[in-house]
Amino acid sequence: MLRFRSLGLAAILAFCALASSAAGRSWDIAVAIGQEVNFHSANGTRTGQVKITKAVSLRGIAYDDVQRNMYLADAGNQNVTIYTVNLSEGNSTVDVLLEKRDGTHIWGMVFDTISRTLFWTDVGRSVIAKMHLPVEGRPGEPSILHNLTGADPRGIALDLCNRHIYWTNSNSTNPSIERSNLDGSSRELVVQTNLYEPLAVAVDHGTGKLYWIDDEEGIHFKVERSNLDGLDRELLVHGKHQQPVYMAVDQGSVFWTDWVYGAAWSIGKTVQPGDVPTRFLKYFETSREYEPTGLVARDNVGDSVDCRHLVELSRMVIPSPDSQAQPDRDLYNNLTTSTEETDSSPKSKGEEYCLNGARYSEVEDTCRCEKGFEGPRCERSVCQNYCLAGRCSLTTAGKPRCECNQGHSGGRCDVDLCRGYCLNGGRCSFRKGQPFCECAYSRGQRCEDASDQDEVCALFCWSGRPAVRSIDTSLCRCDSLNETRTVGVLQDADGLDKELLAPILGTIIGALVITVGVLSYHVNKLRRRPRVKKRFLVSRNGLTPLTSRPRVPGDQCEITIENCCNMNICETPCFEPKLRTSLSKSGRTKEEKDSLIDSMDGGCS
């Protein structure tokens, strides 16, 4: 997701005492290393430094000479891909230009001041991408200029005068250098032969030349140049024991960064026999944790390029700038500036055949290699491309050993500890040397509990509300959710029943128990109601009733009447009430009435 926000001075940006001078014209070369960008004059003197404390491993650099903006790619940050730093005097802000996207790994960047477009190579997604950056307003969305599936795009360069973009394909199975127009049209191969792994490329607007670095198989590398169309190819440097990664060109010199010595090297563009590169900047002694990466030469970008005088400048002999550093001949005694290696000192046939100090055995007709080298001629260092994400050293037995960078492990530092560790879109970082997940809409040590994310995705897929579009909706499988929406609703209803069923049933059962108790109480009370009895004195022969009269012996008898509505003998006794009737046996009421009448007629004794 694209954002353009300030990170704040206190937490993000730190300037050294010389940083203010970086805004002026006092710097000529900028080099990225770790969290820092160091600014240097043409003779190697450092004139300033910018440190981005939230950065992890800065890589590519691009510079806008009009707005004084520097764009920096971060290969190690899990949240940010590109920063922008304004180098104008009095300005001290760092902005996030592009946030991290899955699989993105930016290697190189360039900026076109005319169209105000930032281009970059993405080795993680095998594409060349671009983004429009207006002077005012929000930046445009990133888009793909070239989809290079199966290729390994690394170096990138702009021909501002002819409006071309160049890039290298470092895939050793099909290496090449290509170019196209800035809109992606007219794509063509420029260099395709005698390449192994081209890593960096640069356009020299002053002479109209194309420069590149090729990391040859084994321990060798080359610095070459040609016309912008690939013709008139020349070899400038053929060296050993370096790992060149980025390059830049100014008016008089070619620069490149090297991971083996942790340094930046330079050599004049007008190479003479016997010239060897100069170790322009040394970082290994002061910054062992990081290697120098991207670099940019200020006078070869933006307004510094004068295309009207390209032809005249190309005819001039451009002297190399004065440099306080002297060629490091002892360290660089394996370099030559011709297509074949030469040496003025005489050597035997065996010594010429075996390389890197190896001894030739005439009996075995083989080379006995020194520790750290292998191959039929001992031409290959065992450390060459051995450690994928770390620094290689040799054991006492001469075997390669890797010291892995943070976040990697394995014998060759080939295991990315963050790869696949955080689930459900969680962002992986390291705390105390261990992977740590920052979950967005999930929980758990590895963000494995995605219940929150499922709810948010369901809301997004079914309603498309903008309120939830701040998450990475690529993780939401809307087609699957929409197909099973009815089932999901039922499942949600089941979940609701499970949560509310127990209290609802409990309430109902409780009410029923109370009702049954109340009814039982009243029924039992009615059952225990005392029977109403009344006695009458009557004539034995059915004559005048003698009720309420004193009893006279002889022709009188006594009867007892229960549950009558009216205790007057002269009236018909009533039946049982309905409540009592329901509790009586069928037909019993009539029998009791008939018996009572019979007794009244003289049946009593």
Side-chain angles (χ1 to χ4, degrees), residues 26-62:
S26 59
W27 69 272
D28 299 295
I29 302 293
V31 181
I33 177 169
Q35 300 174 308
E36 302 174 357
V37 179
N38 294 326
F39 301 93
H40 300 269
S41 62
N43 62 6
T45 303
R46 193 172 76 172
T47 60
Q49 180 190 60
V50 172
K51 182 176 182 180
I52 303 176
T53 59
K54 290 295 183 180
V56 178
S57 179
L58 298 177
R59 286 293 175 90
I61 299 181

Side-chain angles (χ1 to χ4, degrees), residues 117-160:
T117 304
L118 181 68
F119 299 87
W120 65 83
T121 54
D122 187 340
V123 298
R125 301 167 60 197
S126 297
V127 299
I128 296 178
K130 65 178 182 177
M131 178 192 297
H132 179 61
L133 302 177
V135 176
E136 296 181 356
R138 296 181 58 82
E141 287 289 332
S143 61
I144 295 177
L145 180 69
H146 291 296
N147 194 333
L148 306 175
T149 303
D152 188 9
R154 296 294 181 104
I156 187 170
L158 280 181
D159 179 1
L160 299 175

Side-chain angles (χ1 to χ4, degrees), residues 57 59 259 288-291 387-391 402-409 413 415 417 430:
S57 179
R59 286 293 175 90
W259 283 356
R288 293 175 178 267
E289 186 177 357
Y290 302 105
E291 296 90 358
C387 300
L388 302 183
R391 190 182 299 275
C402 293
E403 299 176 9
C404 299
N405 298 333
Q406 184 183 32
H408 291 81
S409 64
C413 305
V415 179
L417 298 179
F430 282 85

Side-chain angles (χ1 to χ4, degrees), residues 506-544:
T507 302
I508 295 174
I509 292 173
L512 291 175
V513 169
I514 294 173
T515 303
V516 171
V518 172
L519 293 176
S520 300
Y521 171 77
H522 286 284
V523 170
N524 291 331
K525 185 177 180 181
L526 291 175
R527 283 182 175 179
R528 292 194 299 270
R529 186 176 63 180
R531 292 177 177 271
V532 178
K533 295 182 180 181
K534 195 169 185 179
R535 294 176 179 179
F536 294 90
L537 294 176
V538 298
S539 173
R540 185 185 296 269
N541 296 321
L543 300 178
T544 303

Side-chain angles (χ1 to χ4, degrees), residues 60-63 106-113 115 117-122 127-130 145-146 148 153-170 176-184 188 190 198-205 208-213 224 226-228 245-250 254-255 295-297 300-302 305:
I61 299 181
Y63 184 60
I106 296 179
W107 184 270
M109 293 193 302
V110 288
F111 184 76
D112 177 32
T113 56
S115 64
T117 304
L118 181 68
F119 299 87
W120 65 83
T121 54
D122 187 340
V127 299
I128 296 178
K130 65 178 182 177
L145 180 69
H146 291 296
L148 306 175
R154 296 294 181 104
I156 187 170
L158 280 181
D159 179 1
L160 299 175
C161 298
N162 298 299
R163 313 301 293 158
H164 288 153
I165 184 170
Y166 291 80
W167 67 90
T168 65
N169 172 20
S170 300
S176 63
I177 299 176
E178 297 183 66
R179 76 177 179 184
S180 73
N181 295 332
L182 297 188
D183 60 359
E188 61 179 331
V190 178
L199 294 174
V201 64
V203 171
D204 180 15
H205 296 96
K209 292 288 185 179
L210 180 69
Y211 289 79
W212 68 89
I213 292 180
E224 297 184 83
S226 70
N227 296 336
L228 295 177
V245 283
Y246 292 88
M247 73 181 309
V249 179
D250 70 359
V254 182
F255 303 88
L295 74 164
V296 61
N300 198 41
V301 296
V305 177

Side-chain angles (χ1 to χ4, degrees), residues 158-324:
L158 280 181
D159 179 1
L160 299 175
C161 298
N162 298 299
R163 313 301 293 158
H164 288 153
I165 184 170
Y166 291 80
W167 67 90
T168 65
N169 172 20
S170 300
N171 190 330
S172 58
T173 62
N174 188 29
S176 63
I177 299 176
E178 297 183 66
R179 76 177 179 184
S180 73
N181 295 332
L182 297 188
D183 60 359
S185 62
S186 302
R187 177 178 169 182
E188 61 179 331
L189 287 169
V190 178
V191 181
Q192 192 177 16
T193 60
N194 296 324
L195 291 175
Y196 181 74
E197 189 178 1
L199 294 174
V201 64
V203 171
D204 180 15
H205 296 96
T207 60
K209 292 288 185 179
L210 180 69
Y211 289 79
W212 68 89
I213 292 180
D214 186 14
D215 187 13
E216 290 187 302
E217 184 177 13
I219 61 174
H220 298 83
F221 74 96
K222 295 184 296 184
V223 178
E224 297 184 83
R225 72 181 172 194
S226 70
N227 296 336
L228 295 177
D229 57 4
L231 300 178
D232 295 335
R233 186 169 172 177
E234 302 175 75
L235 177 66
L236 300 182
V237 175
H238 195 192
K240 298 180 180 180
H241 308 302
Q242 280 198 35
Q243 179 63 65
V245 283
Y246 292 88
M247 73 181 309
V249 179
D250 70 359
Q251 291 183 357
S253 301
V254 182
F255 303 88
W256 66 91
T257 53
D258 162 38
W259 283 356
V260 173
Y261 293 102
W265 300 83
S266 67
I267 192 169
K269 291 190 293 186
T270 55
V271 179
Q272 301 297 326
D275 288 350
V276 295
T278 299
R279 191 157 53 169
F280 181 71
L281 302 170
K282 303 177 183 180
Y283 292 103
F284 185 75
E285 293 81 1
T286 58
S287 182
R288 293 175 178 267
E289 186 177 357
Y290 302 105
E291 296 90 358
T293 53
L295 74 164
V296 61
R298 188 170 184 178
D299 67 0
N300 198 41
V301 296
D303 285 352
S304 301
V305 177
D306 188 356
C307 298
R308 295 174 301 177
H309 303 291
L310 181 60
V311 177
E312 290 78 1
L313 290 175
S314 64
R315 297 174 181 174
M316 297 174 58
V317 178
I318 305 175
S320 301
D322 296 334
S323 176
Q324 296 179 352

